[in-house]
Structures are given as C-alpha cells and as structure tokens.
C-alpha cells in the first residue's frame, strides 16, 4: 500500500495512479515517450548543479538520457510503491535485473549463497562471470530455512533467494532466512517475478532487494523486455550507484510498454490466479499426470509457507507426466490449439513447454522418471483451455 495520498491505497490503485502526472504533460494520461540522450540546461548554475532527480508537477528534472527521463521516472516510482521499497532502477531484461542485484553486493574474494532451484541463466552467470572475477558461488537446498546459518562464512557477500524456484517451484521460508541473514550482517536479494510485486512483498518479510523480470506480468503482453530492482533504504544508494556505473538502463519504448502493462496488473493477476488454480486442480485429477507442482495446491510441500507469505498465485506452475514415449508427448504438444510453445511467460496467452532440470541442479538432483512440463495459464476462458488440454491427453494416450 502507498500512503503518499494521505491514506493507505490498495495495490490495484497504486498500480494505476502512482507515477502519473498528467498535468506535467499537458494533461496527457500516460507519460509520453521521451527519446533523449542530451538534456539541455538554461543556466550555468543548473548545469553545474545537475543531478539525476525525479520530476514533480511543475519540474521535469533529468540529467542525461542514460540515467533517467520522464518516461522512466513514473515506472520507477510505481514499482517502488508496489514493492514497498525506497528506490527502483530499471534494466533491459529480467536477467539484467538479477545480475545487477548480485553485482551490487559482491566483492573480490567473496562468496554468495544461491538456491539450487535458481533460474538457470543466473546459475550460468554465477558459474561463468562471477567465477572469472574470483567470486565463489555455493548452491544450497531451497528448503534450508534457518539452516542457512551453517553455510554463512566471514566472506559471504549475499544470500540470493527465489521463491518459488524456477521450473520446480520450491517455496523458501523467507522470514527464517532473512532473520539469520540480518543477525549475521549479510544482505539478501530475491527474484520476485512469480509474485510480481503483487502477490508477494519480500521487503516486508525482511529481504533487502527485490528484482523482477518485468517482461512477465508487469509488461503482460509479450511485447517488451524489462527488469526492475527495488531496494530498501539501507541498500538503495548502493544499488543505484552500481546501476549508474554499469550503464544498464532501459530504453524509453520498452519503459512505456511496461508502464502501460502495469496499469492493468491488478485486473490481470486475479484472472491468472483463478484460471491457474482451476486448471492445476483439473490436471491433478488426470490419470496421465503423476504430480502437479503448484504452491497454491494443498499437495505442494511448501503450501503452508505459501499461504502464510503470499496473497495469491500467478499463472505459472509445473506438472509431471507419467512415463510416456517421446512420440506421444510430441503428438500431445504439437496438436494444441490454444497453448503456444515458447520461452517466457506472464503474458495474456497460455504457454506450455517441456522442461529439463538435470543440468540445473547440483545439490538436490532431479529424479522424477516422467517428463516435467512447464505451463503458463493466460487470460483465456478456462473451459476452452481445459478442452484443449483434454484433446492433448487423448493424443498422448493414442
């Protein structure tokens, strides 16, 4: 909730109103796209005292296109309010947000802790880029909770979190881990894309930095890429200065599309939640399915923690087929009419792909015999989606 209007506002209202200043743009409802590198100053004093600053109703403050324009400022402000942080910076992708969140804290000779269920490109970044510059990554069981204390060293720079975990949707006990981290003086950061800053508020649970692939639910229309990094007051300056040093800014057109998507977040997320849970329960009853991996289902091992910390669920989850021949799975997948096959998720459309976890684990090996499926439930009519899946299962059986 945001309180700048004199009273607490619900997230739906925050997502619609925060950051918009129509009368700073001739009454235009949506902040316009500023394509800008050079920002001119009218006086020497203004030039010599320039700084990257936000804009108000009567002042359009900016310093240089790379460090922000009136197209980016409203999005930063709105995400900050939604996440409950002190400041937000924007990046060209979700991976860019994650790597910025990590680079803001690592130091030469340092050590970071990363859950074994982490998004695979982050694992590649840790094992590649970080290893080359002398930063050691140690992977841990995402269910570790307060047991993370035993893994913290004198040179631990950061504890990375991701809840639910990528592909296999493990739920982490954030309050337990952050309590230990604070007691040991170690910062924490989380990939909060699944919660979208809407169904999970990590900073309120003790996490220091929350990142998102805004490409997913904030953009919401599969037509732009963006990342967000929101920090609490303790770490906001460190994150922003790292972002400034890397020059890792978001382009104005993508920022505009992310803003446009954000304004309907509160309408779209409940539909993803409702559709997703309904189809997850339907899948759970199918004879072809060995297990459904959805935190909102009572059968999920982390359901109690999800129910405590989250206020809802997005449309992304997994399920495991009973052992089947590849040709059967291909027939099921390639005949689907409403489910596309493609990377990403969070858009209005439904997607389904096969997943391979074997290379993405080092602490907790994946041992399920059946094919792991990754499914994103969009905004279509759920009955139509179920009919499409049902026809797919008929092809699988045939």
């Amino acid at each position: 909730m945001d309180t700048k209007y004199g009273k607490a506002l619900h997230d739906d209202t925050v997502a619609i109103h925060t950051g918009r200043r129509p009368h700073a743009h001739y009454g235009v409802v949506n902040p316009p796209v500023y394509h800008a590198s050079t920002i001119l100053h009218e006086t020497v004093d203004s030039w010599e005292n320039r700084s990257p600053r936000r804009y108000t109703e009567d002042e359009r403050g900016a310093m240089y296109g790379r460090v922000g324009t009136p197209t980016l400022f409203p999005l930063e402000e709105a995400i900050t309010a939604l996440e409950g942080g002190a400041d937000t910076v924007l990046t060209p992708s979700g991976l860019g947000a994650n790597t910025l969140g990590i680079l803001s804290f690592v130091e030469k000779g340092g050590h970071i802790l990363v859950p074994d269920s982490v998004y695979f490109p982050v694992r590649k970044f840790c094992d590649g880029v970080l290893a080359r510059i002398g930063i050691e990554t140690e992977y841990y069981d995402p269910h570790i909770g307060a047991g993370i204390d035993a893994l913290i060293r004198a040179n631990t720079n950061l504890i990375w979190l991701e809840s639910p975990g990528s592909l296999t949707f493990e739920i982490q006990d954030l309050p337990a881990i952050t309590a230990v981290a604070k007691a040991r003086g170690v910062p924490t950061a989380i990939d909060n894309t699944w919660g979208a800053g809407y169904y999970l508020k990590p900073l309120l649970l003790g996490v220091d930095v929350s990142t998102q692939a805004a490409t997913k639910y904030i953009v919401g229309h599969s037509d732009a890429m963006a990342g967000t990094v929101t920090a609490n007051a303790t770490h906001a300056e460190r994150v922003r200065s790292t972002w400034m040093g890397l020059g890792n800014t978001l382009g104005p057109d993508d920022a505009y599309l992310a803003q446009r998507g954000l304004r309907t977040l509160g309408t779209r997320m409940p539909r993803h939640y409702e559709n997703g849970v309904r189809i997850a329960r339907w899948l759970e009853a199918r004879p072809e399915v060995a297990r459904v991996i959805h935190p909102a289902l009572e059968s999920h091992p982390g359901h109690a923690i999800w129910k405590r910390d989250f206020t809802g669920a997005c449309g992304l989850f997994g399920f495991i087929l009973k052992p089947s021949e590849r040709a059967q799975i291909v027939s099921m997948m390639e005949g689907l009419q409403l489910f596309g096959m493609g990377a990403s998720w969070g858009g209005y459309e439904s997607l389904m792909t096969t997943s391979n976890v074997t290379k993405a684990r080092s602490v907790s090996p994946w041992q399920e015999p059946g094919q792991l499926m990754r499914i994103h439930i969009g905004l279509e009519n759920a009955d139509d989606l179920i009919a499409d899946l049902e026809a797919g299962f008929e092809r699988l059986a045939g």
Side-chain angles (χ1 to χ4, degrees), residues 51-359:
S51 64
R53 62 191 186 278
R54 301 299 176 267
Y55 73 133
T56 62
E57 293 286 352
D58 56 358
E59 178 188 16
R60 302 177 191 179
M63 185 180 81
Y64 184 62
R66 173 168 44 78
V67 295
T69 69
T71 304
L72 273 64
F73 297 156
L75 183 57
E76 290 179 344
E77 187 176 334
I79 298 298
T80 299
L82 199 63
E83 290 266 24
D87 188 26
T88 296
V89 296
L90 306 174
T91 65
S93 69
L95 180 59
N98 288 341
T99 56
L100 173 64
I102 293 170
L103 289 171
S104 295
F105 295 98
V106 292
E107 297 178 359
K108 183 179 179 181
H111 163 258
I112 68 170
L113 292 166
V114 175
D116 204 33
S117 53
V118 71
Y119 177 49
F120 189 63
V122 172
R123 179 183 285 265
K124 290 179 69 176
F125 169 77
C126 292
D127 294 346
V129 175
L130 290 189
R132 289 203 305 270
I133 59 176
I135 309 297
E136 180 185 357
T137 301
E138 180 176 357
Y139 296 98
Y140 65 89
D141 186 326
H143 298 116
I144 198 168
I148 196 102
D149 187 62
L151 303 182
I152 295 175
R153 308 177 191 173
N155 66 332
T156 300
N157 299 148
L158 178 70
I159 298 173
W160 186 258
L161 305 152
E162 185 174 332
S163 187
S166 186
L167 299 181
T168 45
F169 303 94
E170 295 87 350
I171 295 290
Q172 295 195 256
D173 191 337
L174 302 182
I177 294 173
T178 58
V180 169
K182 290 187 185 305
R184 299 289 298 271
V186 179
T188 54
I190 187 172
D191 184 335
N192 189 30
T193 305
W194 196 88
Y198 188 82
Y199 284 138
L200 180 68
K201 307 291 185 181
L203 274 61
L204 299 183
L205 298 176
V207 180
D208 295 306
V209 173
S210 177
T211 71
Q212 287 191 58
T215 308
K216 300 341 190 225
Y217 287 108
I218 291 172
V219 169
H221 293 75
S222 303
D223 55 4
M225 300 185 73
T228 68
V229 185
T230 304
N232 61 18
T234 303
H235 299 290
E237 181 55 37
R238 181 162 186 162
V239 169
R240 182 164 283 275
S241 64
T242 304
W243 174 80
M244 292 272 287
L246 293 171
N248 198 21
T249 195
L250 179 64
D253 294 291
D254 291 335
Y256 178 85
L257 290 170
Q259 281 185 68
R260 189 184 63 177
L262 176 69
R263 304 310 179 187
T264 62
L265 184 71
T267 300
R268 291 183 284 109
M269 292 304 290
R271 180 64 175 259
H272 285 295
Y273 180 18
E274 179 186 356
N275 276 359
V277 170
R278 181 180 171 193
I279 291 173
R281 294 194 187 281
W282 180 83
L283 286 168
E284 207 167 32
R286 293 293 306 190
E288 303 88 351
V289 174
R291 182 159 65 95
V292 177
I293 314 172
H294 192 309
L297 297 185
E298 293 79 3
S299 57
H300 190 282
H303 176 72
I305 295 177
W306 170 84
K307 193 172 182 179
R308 181 194 69 191
D309 294 346
F310 289 73
T311 56
C314 71
L316 184 75
F317 61 97
F319 67 94
I320 303 165
L321 291 170
K322 291 179 180 177
S324 307
E325 297 295 330
R326 175 175 171 77
Q328 294 175 280
I329 297 172
V330 168
S331 179
M332 176 188 74
M333 295 283 291
E334 293 185 356
L336 291 171
Q337 301 298 306
L338 302 179
F339 287 85
M341 280 188 285
S344 200
W345 42 279
Y348 56 82
E349 79 286 10
S350 292
L351 302 169
M352 190 162 73
T353 60
T354 56
S355 291
N356 184 356
V357 194
T358 54
K359 294 182 179 180

